């Protein structure tokens, strides 16, 4: 089956878990900005978390199925409806041929995800279906595109998720350039409330704060070194950027710390203006936190429950035609 | 008081990485050491290692610390480090020499004259020296397939520009700090645009998507603008008319 794209936001790309192993060729991993959302979509549809999904930055689109199509919506909640009736987020549904699925603006967070039964069957390049815009691998999905999918999926399921869409505390570990910052600067870094700035894309997101910047010693004379997603890079002005899946692979600006992989979904989902703080943990604590996260991911399929049609669970109750046939005697 | 740093230096990178640094500046021997150590770590074939790379003067190892704890991989890499003097390690085998037809100067590469002046050379002298230089792929990075090449002679140790050039095209040969970069895509840069090639470092449509490997050598052979136009018209494989020969090890 195939999903036709009638209308689409400007920054929607196909993403899976990215391509590993090409760092030595200057190609960063790419992959979903919120990897947790891929696991949630897979759990809802009863498929593998390696399936590719449509990542929608800020705005979704309008879609139509050619055949009955199982789909799921995860990540940053967005307005969503089928033929005008609102549908639940963090849930799987069925789209019948001819029905229109409309996904509007993000309500909270940054990146929403549309998953199809069997995954979106985009071309595999170097082991991944992920678009990498800065490397010119693939391109943003356009109106008129067709999203092919290979399989069926389980529909009518939902998943309760914790809020990771409004910033908060991000756990970080020290990295090899952390010692370029003096103790006073590091202390101030952990005591500062940052706000996500307006500049953000899949390469990185800017953070703003009051007061002076966070400069390293010898800021401009550092030999270019390896960069990994999650690194918090200080630009020349001392403004931090959290680097995301399409970041460059090497760079000369110093990195003050690195966000733990398990906190990257929360980091990437932080909307413009929301507050972020950083908390250093030791490598031992980081391993424990990451292990707990991996265990949670493994347990996700067991947390999926039926989308019960209890009136309290139907946010769109008023949209149902509960009184159909009672307005006109001739209906 | 300046802290004395002892190289090679082993440091952790974020949650899941280890970096072995051989010098705090790029030198021929530190780059060779980084390439050789990377190759040796790959040969260990340790469970839990995800990928490795070499930058100008460092070897990077990414691993899963839940499978391979930081302390254990540090110990393993230290053992390898202790085996020899890495600064005189041989270059990797299977290296190639790639000679790329290049237009120096003209409106295609408009910063040649000022680069020559900064190096204290006439434009013709600069073309001759750059065209004869055999440079090595020191590292690939920043953008896919994009090589940092060097070292060039000390006269080319010229600083980066203060103002960025808003855009140079794919195949642009730029120069600063005794190194070339051959751009794999259109990009802004603070390096001086001295040559233009039709060589594509990253060819995603082809089976062999990456044209270069660290350790390969390159030479940028001067040609005329007309020759480059001919190459653009007739050569469709992305090589830009380059020739490739094996370097015997």
């Amino acid at each position: 089956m195939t999903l036709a794209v009638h209308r689409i936001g400007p920054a929607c790309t196909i993403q899976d878990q990215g391509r590993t192993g090409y760092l030595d060729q200057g190609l960063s991993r790419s992959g979903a900005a919120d990897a947790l959302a891929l696991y949630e979509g897979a759990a809802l549809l009863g498929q593998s978390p390696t399936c590719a999904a449509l990542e929608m930055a800020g705005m979704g689109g309008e879609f139509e199925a050619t055949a009955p199509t199982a789909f799921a919506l995860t990540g940053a909640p967005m307005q969503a409806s089928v033929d005008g009736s609102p549908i639940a987020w963090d849930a799987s549904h069925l789209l019948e041929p001819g029905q229109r699925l409309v996904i509007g603006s993000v309500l909270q967070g940054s990146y929403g995800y549309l998953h199809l039964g069997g995954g979106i069957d985009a071309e595999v390049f170097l082991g991944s279906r992920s678009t990498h815009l800065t490397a010119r691998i693939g391109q943003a999905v356009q109106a008129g595109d067709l999203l092919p999918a290979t399989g069926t999926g389980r529909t009518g399921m939902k998943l309760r998720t914790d809020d990771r869409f409004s910033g908060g505390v991000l756990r970080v570990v020290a990295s090899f350039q952390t010692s370029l910052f003096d103790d006073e600067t590091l202390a101030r870094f952990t005591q500062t409330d940052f706000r996500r700035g307006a500049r953000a894309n899949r390469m990185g997101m800017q953070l703003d704060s009051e007061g002076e910047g966070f400069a390293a010693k010898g800021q401009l004379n550092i030999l270019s070194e390896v960069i990994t997603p999650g690194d918090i890079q200080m630009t020349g002005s001392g403004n931090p950027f959290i680097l995301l899946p399409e970041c460059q692979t090497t760079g000369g600006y110093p990195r003050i710390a690195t966000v733990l992989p398990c906190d990257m979904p929360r980091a990437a989902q932080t909307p413009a203006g929301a507050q972020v703080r950083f908390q250093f943990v030791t490598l031992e604590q980081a391993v424990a936190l990451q292990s707990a996260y991996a265990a949670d991911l493994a347990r996700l399929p067991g947390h999926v429950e039926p989308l019960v049609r209890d009136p309290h669970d139907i946010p769109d109750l008023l949209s149902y035609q509960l009184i159909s046939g009672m307005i006109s005697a001739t209906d | 008081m300046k802290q004395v740093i002892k190289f090679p230096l082993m440091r952790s990178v974020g949650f899941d990485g280890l970096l072995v640094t051989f010098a705090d500046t790029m030198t021929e021997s530190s780059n060779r050491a980084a390439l050789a150590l990377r190759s040796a770590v790959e040969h260990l074939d340790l469970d839990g290692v995800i990928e490795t790379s070499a930058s100008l003067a460092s070897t990077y190892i990414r691993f899963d610390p839940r499978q391979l704890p930081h302390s254990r991989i540090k110990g393993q890499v230290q053992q390898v480090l202790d085996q020899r003097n890495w600064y005189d390690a041989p270059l990797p085998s299977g290296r190639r020499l790639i000679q790329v037809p290049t237009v120096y100067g003209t409106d295609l590469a408009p910063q040649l004259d000022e680069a020559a002046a900064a190096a204290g050379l006439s434009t013709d002298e600069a073309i001759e020296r750059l065209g004869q230089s055999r440079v090595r792929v020191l590292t690939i990075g920043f953008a896919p397939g994009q090589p940092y090449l060097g070292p060039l002679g000390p006269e080319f140790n010229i600083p980066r520009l203060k103002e960025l050039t808003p855009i140079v095209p794919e195949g642009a040969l730029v120069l600063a700090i005794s190194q070339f970069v051959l751009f794999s895509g259109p990009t802004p840069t603070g390096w001086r645009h001295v040559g233009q090639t039709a060589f594509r470092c990253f060819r995603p449509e082809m089976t062999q998507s990456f044209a270069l490997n660290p350790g390969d050598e390159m030479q940028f052979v001067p040609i005329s603008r007309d020759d480059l136009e001919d190459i653009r018209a007739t050569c469709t494989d992305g090589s830009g008319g380059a020739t490739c020969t094996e370097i015997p090890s």
Side-chain angles (χ1 to χ4, degrees):
Chain A
M1 68 229 163
T2 302
L3 204 64
V5 180
H6 292 304
R7 211 159 39 77
I8 187 102
C12 298
T13 56
I14 292 167
Q15 297 296 339
D16 57 17
Q17 298 193 31
R19 46 182 77 71
T20 291
Y22 299 95
L23 186 66
D24 65 337
Q25 282 290 350
L27 181 59
S28 54
R29 284 172 242 167
S30 191
D34 177 355
L36 174 52
L38 292 183
Y39 284 84
E40 292 168 344
L44 283 163
L45 289 165
Q47 61 197 30
S48 164
T50 59
C51 288
L54 182 69
E55 178 178 281
M56 304 172 287
M59 168 69 76
E62 187 171 343
F63 310 90
E64 185 180 343
T66 55
T69 300
F71 70 97
L73 300 166
T74 68
M78 296 168 138
Q79 291 168 337
S81 62
V82 170
D83 282 352
S85 300
I87 54 169
W89 202 262
D90 288 322
S92 60
H93 307 273
L94 187 69
L95 193 65
E96 298 285 359
Q99 283 189 318
R100 292 283 175 120
L101 166 64
V102 176
I103 304 174
S105 306
V106 70
L107 300 169
Q108 207 190 1
S110 291
Y111 295 100
Y113 292 82
L114 167 61
H115 311 258
L116 302 183
I120 297 176
D121 192 20
E123 190 193 342
V124 176
F125 175 67
L126 301 177
S128 163
R129 294 184 166 86
S130 285
T131 293
H132 191 314
L133 292 176
T134 48
R136 296 182 294 159
I137 297 169
Q139 51 190 1
V141 174
Q142 311 280 324
D145 284 357
L146 300 173
L147 303 177
T150 50
T152 53
R154 187 178 48 186
T155 61
M157 306 303 281
K158 69 172 181 181
L159 195 56
R160 287 179 207 279
T161 61
D162 294 332
D163 174 23
R164 61 176 184 280
F165 308 108
S166 42
V169 174
L170 302 177
R171 278 90 47 106
V172 300
V173 285
S175 192
F176 66 104
Q177 290 170 327
T178 302
S179 61
L180 297 174
F181 298 83
D182 62 30
D183 290 347
E184 184 274 323
T185 305
L186 288 173
R188 198 159 50 80
F189 173 70
T190 58
Q191 288 154 12
T192 297
D193 289 321
F194 293 95
R195 281 179 322 283
R196 209 211 80 183
R199 294 177 64 190
N201 57 25
R202 290 179 37 80
M203 295 177 73
M205 50 195 274
Q206 186 177 21
L207 300 174
D208 297 327
S209 63
E210 308 291 330
E212 63 176 311
F214 298 84
K217 294 171 273 184
Q219 174 111 19
L220 294 174
N221 301 314
I222 293 167
L223 199 63
S224 280
E225 272 299 358
V226 63
I227 286 178
T228 65
D231 279 1
I232 305 167
Q233 175 174 274
M234 291 299 172
T235 57
S237 59
N239 265 112
F241 271 78
I242 301 179
L243 301 179
L244 295 176
E246 283 188 24
C247 63
Q248 284 138 353
T249 58
T250 59
Y253 287 125
R255 271 64 57 60
I256 194 168
T258 304
V259 178
L260 296 191
C262 59
D263 281 5
M264 283 305 288
R266 174 180 295 277
Q269 288 288 12
T270 303
Q275 216 170 68
V276 161
R277 270 178 91 104
F278 296 104
Q279 182 194 346
F280 276 96
V281 297
T282 64
L283 273 177
E284 290 69 27
Q285 290 167 326
V287 171
L289 289 165
Q290 191 65 24
S291 298
Y293 172 75
D296 285 346
L297 291 183
R299 281 195 294 264
L300 265 183
H303 292 168
V304 169
E305 41 188 318
L307 197 56
V308 182
R309 307 310 283 171
D310 177 82
H312 289 103
D313 270 357
I314 306 180
D316 52 332
L317 191 60
L318 291 177
S319 74
Y320 284 80
Q321 295 188 26
L322 300 176
I323 52 171
S324 184
M326 297 188 64
I327 302 298
S328 161
T330 58
D331 257 1
Chain B
M1 209 173 76
K2 195 169 160 59
Q3 195 185 345
V4 179
I5 300 172
K6 197 165 163 284
F7 293 103
L9 181 62
M10 204 187 298
R11 296 171 292 180
S12 65
V13 181
F15 170 70
D16 56 3
L18 185 66
L19 190 71
V20 181
T21 303
F22 289 94
D24 54 6
T25 57
M26 207 300 290
T27 63
E28 203 276 335
S29 61
S30 61
N31 179 248
R32 195 145 32 84
L35 289 175
L37 180 68
R38 180 202 173 193
S39 175
V41 171
E42 285 276 321
H43 277 113
L44 284 182
D45 202 18
L46 294 174
D47 282 342
V49 169
I50 299 167
E51 64 181 327
T52 65
S53 68
S55 54
L56 292 173
S58 301
T59 304
Y60 170 69
I61 304 151
R62 185 157 77 94
F63 55 95
D64 182 350
R66 291 170 297 154
Q67 197 181 347
L68 180 59
H70 282 260
S71 56
R72 190 142 51 100
I73 187 154
K74 276 184 177 169
Q76 299 260 17
V77 172
Q78 187 63 54
Q79 274 185 17
V80 178
L81 266 178
D82 292 342
Q83 280 166 12
R84 63 166 302 153
N85 176 4
W86 292 89
Y87 295 92
D88 64 11
L91 283 163
S93 56
R95 300 185 311 124
R96 299 162 304 163
L97 170 64
I98 296 140
Q99 291 168 300
V100 184
T102 305
V103 177
Y104 285 93
T106 79
D107 58 317
L108 292 182
Q111 291 163 328
L112 174 68
D113 290 344
E114 56 176 273
L121 302 171
S122 71
T123 300
D124 287 347
E125 237 179 312
I127 294 175
E128 194 181 329
R129 290 196 198 186
L130 294 175
Q132 284 175 359
S133 298
R134 240 171 98 156
V135 286
R136 196 165 79 212
V137 178
L138 301 169
T139 186
I140 293 175
F142 199 74
Q146 181 169 296
Y148 288 68
L149 299 151
L152 291 164
E155 67 275 29
F156 294 107
N157 189 10
I158 60 176
R160 299 175 185 86
L161 296 166
K162 288 209 174 71
E163 296 280 315
L164 289 186
T165 307
I167 199 90
V168 296
E170 181 175 12
L173 185 68
V174 301
L175 186 164
I177 54 171
S178 293
Q179 289 173 37
F180 283 136
V181 172
L182 180 58
F183 278 120
S184 70
T187 180
T189 182
W191 294 37
R192 287 182 173 88
H193 186 187
V194 298
Q196 185 61 46
T197 74
F199 187 86
R200 296 179 58 216
C201 306
F202 181 46
R203 306 167 190 170
E205 73 287 356
M206 295 179 66
T207 324
Q208 182 57 47
S209 297
F210 300 103
L212 301 167
N213 287 310
D216 284 344
E217 294 186 16
M218 297 188 87
Q219 190 181 351
F220 295 91
V221 181
I223 57 164
S224 71
R225 248 200 99 138
D226 286 349
D227 291 345
L228 187 71
E229 295 304 329
D230 281 351
I231 289 169
R232 285 199 199 281
T234 54
C235 174
T236 54
D237 62 359
S239 72
T243 58
C244 179
T245 47
E246 298 288 322
I247 299 173
S249 42

